[in-house]
C-alpha cells in the first residue's frame, strides 16, 4: 500500500465540533466561560467578550486589549493530539504589533505551538514555545490587511503542520518539539488589539 501524501493526510480531518463557538452567552467585559486566559512572559493581558454587531457572527467577539509579551486564551477542556483549529480575527490596533494567532497542543503558558498573522509585517509565521521561550520555525510573506476580518487555520497530524490564511496554504512544516495532546485557543503579541470570532476545532479522523 502506497503511503498517504502529506497534503491528503492533513485534509482528512473531521470536525468533533463543526459549529463555530459563539460568545453570545458570555457577559460583556468578562473573559468567556470555559476559557483560561493569560500570557507568556510579562505584562497585563486583557481578554474580554465585547459586542460587535458587524462581526462574522453578528453578535459578540473575544477581544484582547491589554499589553503583554504573548497573550493567550485557551479552551482548556479541548484536548487534541491531531486535528485542526481555525478562527476569524481582525487586527484593530497596535504600534508594536497587530497580530492574531491560534495555539494548539497547549500544555501550559510556557509550552505550545502557535501560528500567527501580522498586519504590520504582512506575514504568516509558525513557532513553538518551550519553557517560555518562543522559537521560529518559518516566516512567509502574506497580505494581512488591518481592520479587516481574516481566517487563520492550522491542520496538524503527528509532526506535520500546515498553516493557511484566508483559504490559502502558506506554510507546510515538519516539527516534533511539542508532542501529545493539548488545548487549543487564540493568541496575540505585545500591544496588539485584536478581535476573534467563529473559533472552531476538530479531531483528526482515526
Amino acid at each position: 500500500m502506497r503511503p498517504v501524501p502529506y497534503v491528503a493526510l492533513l485534509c482528512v480531518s473531521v470536525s468533533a465540533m463543526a459549529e463555530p463557538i459563539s460568545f453570545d452567552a458570555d457577559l460583556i467585559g468578562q473573559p468567556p466561560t470555559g476559557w483560561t486566559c493569560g500570557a507568556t512572559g510579562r505584562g497585563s493581558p486583557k481578554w474580554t467578550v465585547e459586542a460587535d454587531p458587524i462581526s462574522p457572527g453578528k453578535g459578540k467577539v473575544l477581544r484582547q486589549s491589554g499589553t503583554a509579551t504573548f497573550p493567550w486564551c485557551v479552551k482548556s477542556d479541548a484536548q487534541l493530539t491531531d486535528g485542526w483549529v481555525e478562527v476569524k480575527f481582525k487586527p484593530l490596533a497596535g504600534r508594536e504589533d497587530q497580530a492574531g494567532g491560534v495555539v494548539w497542543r497547549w500544555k501550559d503558558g510556557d509550552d505550545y505551538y502557535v501560528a500567527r498573522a501580522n498586519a504590520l509585517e504582512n506575514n504568516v509565521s509558525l513557532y513553538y514555545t518551550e519553557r517560555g521561550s518562543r522559537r521560529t520555525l518559518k516566516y512567509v510573506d502574506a497580505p494581512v490587511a488591518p481592520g479587516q476580518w481574516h481566517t487563520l487555520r492550522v491542520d496538524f497530524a503527528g509532526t506535520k503542520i500546515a498553516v493557511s490564511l484566508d483559504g490559502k496554504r502558506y506554510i507546510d512544516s515538519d516539527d516534533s518539539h511539542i508532542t501529545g495532546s493539548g488545548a487549543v485557543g487564540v493568541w496575540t503579541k505585545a500591544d496588539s488589539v485584536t478581535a476573534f470570532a467563529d473559533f472552531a476545532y476538530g479531531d483528526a479522523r482515526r
Side-chain angles (χ1 to χ4, degrees):
M1 179 181 296
R2 291 187 301 174
V4 178
Y6 165 45
V7 173
L9 173 65
L10 290 180
C11 289
V12 297
S13 60
V14 61
S15 174
M17 182 173 289
E19 292 298 321
I21 293 174
S22 168
F23 301 107
D24 288 350
D26 292 296
L27 295 175
I28 290 177
Q30 299 296 320
T33 302
W35 293 67
T36 301
C37 303
T40 303
R42 299 180 179 179
S44 300
K46 185 179 180 181
W47 292 95
T48 55
V49 173
E50 303 294 342
D52 187 347
I54 61 172
S55 70
K58 295 181 171 56
K60 297 176 182 176
V61 299
L62 174 60
R63 187 173 69 186
Q64 203 295 123
S65 57
T67 300
T69 309
F70 303 120
W72 45 258
C73 192
V74 300
K75 191 164 177 53
S76 52
D77 63 349
Q79 296 291 311
L80 301 181
T81 300
D82 298 324
W84 59 272
V85 59
E86 180 178 295
V87 74
K88 290 182 173 65
F89 74 96
K90 180 164 67 172
L92 298 172
R95 299 184 65 179
E96 183 178 345
D97 274 281
Q98 293 186 20
V102 293
V103 299
W104 67 101
R105 293 185 187 161
W106 186 92
K107 316 295 185 180
D108 54 42
D110 290 333
D111 298 274
Y112 53 86
Y113 278 114
V114 56
R116 71 102 175 100
N118 194 315
L120 290 186
E121 299 176 3
N122 277 306
N123 60 24
V124 175
S125 54
L126 173 64
Y127 311 94
Y128 69 93
T129 300
E130 197 169 46
R131 298 176 184 174
S133 180
R134 190 188 65 162
R135 304 294 184 183
T136 302
L137 292 172
K138 195 168 186 179
Y139 273 98
V140 178
D141 291 338
V144 187
Q148 296 185 21
W149 287 100
H150 302 276
T151 300
L152 184 65
R153 177 183 173 106
V154 175
D155 293 88
F156 51 100
T159 62
K160 307 298 183 182
I161 303 169
V163 183
S164 301
L165 178 69
D166 294 333
K168 180 178 178 179
R169 181 80 60 85
Y170 281 96
I171 294 176
D172 288 301
S173 186
D174 193 321
D175 186 78
S176 60
H177 282 91
I178 311 293
T179 60
S181 66
V184 293
V186 294
W187 180 100
T188 69
K189 181 185 176 186
D191 63 345
S192 301
V193 179
T194 308
F196 296 90
D198 287 357
F199 181 82
Y201 61 91
D203 286 311
R205 181 175 297 165
R206 296 289 187 257

